C-alpha cells in the first residue's frame, strides 16, 4: 500500500541535519515514516531511529513497515512527554519534528480534520483517547476562550464567529463538520469567492484542531525539554506550516539552541507542484551549544 502521506522537504531535512551513519535520531512526529525512511537510508547498522507519534493509526502503519529493521524503535507518545521515552544518559544527536497533521488524518472521513468530509463527526483528536474532541470544545468553551483560540492559532479576530457558535449551541450541540461549516458560512462575507471561503474554513478548522490537540503547548514543552537529551553540536530540525507555529517557536526557543542559518528552508517550485500540501512548509535548523 502506498504511504498515505508525502513527506515534505525530505532531502533538505537529511542535508540540514547532516545525517551521519552512526547517528542516533529522534523523530517526534513519525507519521507514515517518509522522513524516517529517507534518514534510515543514510544510517549504518549502528545508527538508531526512535520514532514517536500520538496517533495509533500512524504507529500501527510504521510498526508493520519497519518491523524487520532493528535500528528502529517506535512509541505511541506525545512529544511533550519525551521523558517517557528518552534517557538523558543515552542522548540523541539528530532530532526532527514535522508539525501539524498528516494527509492520512486530513483525508480520513471519520476523523473530522477536514471540511471536505462534510458529515464527519467533529472530532479532530490526533490521540483518540484524549478527553476533548472538537465538538466538545465548541459545546463548552466560554466566549473569551473561543476568541483566544481563533486569535492565537489562526491570527483571526472573529467576534461574529464566536457569537454564532454560542447561538448555535444554545439550540443544539455541535456534532458534525457540517454544523461548524454552517456557522462559518453565517459569520463571514466571502465576496462570492469560493477561494476566500475555503481559505477561511481552513483557518477556522486549523485553529480548533490546534486547541483540541494543545499543539502550541506541546511544541513549547518539547523545545524547552529536548536540549536536555542533546549533546553539544547536535541538531534539531523543525518543520512549521503557519505563522502561529513559527511565532511561538521563535518566542520559546531556549538560549542553548542556536539557528544554524538565518534563512528558513522552503520547498522548491517542483515540490510544491507535486505536493500542494507542501506549499506552506518552512524548515528551521538549530544547533545545541
Ligand atoms: C505532518 S505529519 C508527519 C509526517 C511524517 N514526517 C512523515 O514523513 O510521514 C505530523 C504527525 O505528527 C503527529 N503529531 C502531531 N503532534 C504530535 C505530538 N505532540 N506528539 C506526537 N505526535 C504528534 C501527528 O499525529 C501526525 O502523524
Amino acid at each position: 500500500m502506498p504511504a498515505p502521506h508525502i513527506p515534505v522537504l525530505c532531502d533538505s531535512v537529511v542535508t540540514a541535519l547532516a545525517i551521519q551513519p552512526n547517528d542516533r535520531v529522534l523523530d517526534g512526529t513519525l507519521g507514515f515514516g517518509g522522513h524516517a525512511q529517507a534518514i534510515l537510508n543514510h544510517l549504518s547498522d549502528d545508527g538508531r531511529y526512535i520514532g514517536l507519534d500520538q496517533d495509533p493509526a500512524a504507529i500501527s502503519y510504521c510498526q508493520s513497515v519497519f518491523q524487520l529493521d532493528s535500528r528502529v524503535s517506535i512509541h505511541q507518545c506525545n512529544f511533550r512527554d519525551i521523558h517517557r521515552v528518552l534517557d538523558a544518559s543515552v542522548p540523541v544527536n539528530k532530532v526532527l519534528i514535522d508539525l501539524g497533521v498528516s494527509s492520512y488524518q486530513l483525508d480520513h472521513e471519520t476523523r473530522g480534520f477536514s471540511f471536505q468530509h462534510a458529515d464527519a463527526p467533529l472530532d479532530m483528536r490526533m490521540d483518540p483517547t484524549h478527553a476533548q474532541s472538537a465538538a466538545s470544545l465548541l459545546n463548552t468553551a466560554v466566549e473569551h476562550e473561543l476568541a483566544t483560540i481563533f486569535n492565537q492559532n489562526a491570527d483571526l479576530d472573529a467576534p461574529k464567529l464566536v457569537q454564532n457558535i454560542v447561538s448555535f449551541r444554545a439550540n443544539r450541540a455541535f456534532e458534525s463538520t457540517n454544523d461548524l461549516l454552517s456557522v462559518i458560512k453565517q459569520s463571514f462575507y466571502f465576496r462570492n469567492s469560493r477561494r476566500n471561503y475555503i481559505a477561511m474554513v481552513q483557518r477556522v478548522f486549523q485553529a480548533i484542531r490546534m486547541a483540541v490537540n494543545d499543539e502550541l503547548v506541546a511544541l513549547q514543552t518539547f523545545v524547552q525539554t529536548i536540549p536536555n537529551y542533546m549533546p553539544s553540536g547536535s541538531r534539531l530540525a523543525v518543520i512549521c506550516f503557519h505563522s502561529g507555529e513559527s511565532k511561538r517557536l521563535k518566542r520559546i526557543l531556549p538560549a542553548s539552541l542556536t539557528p544554524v542559518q538565518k534563512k528558513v528552508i522552503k520547498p522548491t517550485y517542483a515540490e510544491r507542484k507535486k505536493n500542494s500540501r507542501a506549499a506552506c512548509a518552512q524548515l528551521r535548523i538549530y544547533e545545541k551549544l
Side-chain angles (χ1 to χ4, degrees):
M1 167 178 141
H5 178 86
I6 304 173
V8 303
L9 290 163
C10 223
D11 294 341
S12 305
V13 165
V14 172
T15 307
L17 282 176
I19 296 292
Q20 302 299 314
N22 292 352
D23 277 344
R24 203 174 142 78
V25 183
L26 172 76
D27 180 345
T29 52
L30 184 60
F32 288 82
H35 289 111
Q37 192 56 69
I39 292 173
L40 283 161
N41 291 344
H42 294 264
L43 295 186
S44 69
D45 287 348
D46 293 327
R48 288 291 173 268
Y49 201 89
I50 304 158
L52 322 180
D53 204 291
Q54 60 177 326
D55 189 329
I59 293 295
S60 60
Y61 180 89
C62 285
Q63 275 169 340
S64 78
V65 170
F66 297 115
Q67 60 182 327
L68 299 178
D69 194 329
S70 57
R71 299 169 299 173
V72 180
S73 60
I74 293 175
H75 306 264
Q76 186 181 341
C77 179
N78 191 309
F79 59 60
R80 70 197 284 174
D81 300 323
I82 193 64
H83 61 275
R84 282 178 38 205
V85 171
L86 291 184
D87 175 349
S89 65
V90 196
V92 283
N93 66 334
K94 303 290 162 66
V95 179
L96 166 67
I97 45 171
D98 174 17
L99 298 171
V101 274
S102 66
S103 295
Y104 169 87
Q105 288 165 327
L106 277 175
D107 295 340
H108 201 284
E109 63 279 6
T110 64
R111 302 290 298 266
F113 286 104
S114 167
F115 67 96
Q116 275 161 340
H117 301 292
D119 221 5
L122 198 50
D123 190 320
M124 300 196 197
R125 289 171 298 174
M126 296 186 198
D127 171 358
T129 64
H130 186 72
Q132 193 173 46
S133 66
S136 125
L137 182 141
L138 288 176
N139 289 326
T140 55
V142 295
E143 283 180 50
H144 77 86
E145 283 171 338
L146 290 167
T148 306
I149 286 170
F150 296 123
N151 200 290
Q152 185 173 281
N153 296 345
D155 269 336
L156 197 58
D157 186 22
K160 194 154 179 218
L161 175 63
V162 171
Q163 233 176 52
N164 287 339
I165 289 172
V166 173
S167 311
F168 182 97
R169 72 191 188 195
N171 289 322
R172 67 179 183 85
F174 281 93
E175 284 176 4
S176 71
T177 41
N178 249 342
D179 296 339
L180 177 56
L181 287 172
S182 71
V183 171
I184 297 172
K185 279 181 198 150
Q186 290 163 17
S187 306
F188 300 96
Y189 175 52
F190 304 109
R191 298 176 195 278
N192 280 335
S193 157
R194 179 148 175 87
R195 185 197 276 210
N196 289 349
Y197 166 69
I198 289 178
M200 184 54 75
V201 168
Q202 285 173 332
R203 277 172 83 182
V204 173
F205 270 60
Q206 171 193 298
I208 296 171
R209 183 206 86 210
M210 289 178 69
V212 166
N213 296 289
D214 216 2
E215 292 180 34
L216 294 180
V217 173
L219 174 63
Q220 175 156 352
T221 310
F222 179 79
V223 169
Q224 291 176 342
T225 313
I226 195 64
N228 300 333
Y229 300 92
M230 296 169 68
S232 170
S234 55
R235 285 191 173 191
L236 164 67
V238 183
I239 303 177
C240 296
F241 288 86
H242 57 82
S243 61
E245 292 165 345
S246 311
K247 278 191 207 158
R248 177 64 66 103
L249 183 62
K250 273 187 213 151
R251 205 148 52 79
I252 58 169
L253 201 70
S256 59
L257 290 173
T258 183
V260 171
Q261 59 181 66
K262 272 207 175 125
K263 238 178 128 191
V264 297
I265 301 166
K266 295 183 180 172
T268 59
Y269 175 71
E271 177 169 4
R272 282 185 276 127
K273 242 189 127 193
K274 212 171 84 188
N275 177 13
S276 60
R277 285 180 181 161
C280 306
Q282 294 191 339
L283 169 64
R284 291 179 175 80
I285 301 286
Y286 305 97
E287 195 159 281
K288 169 85 188 291
L289 291 178

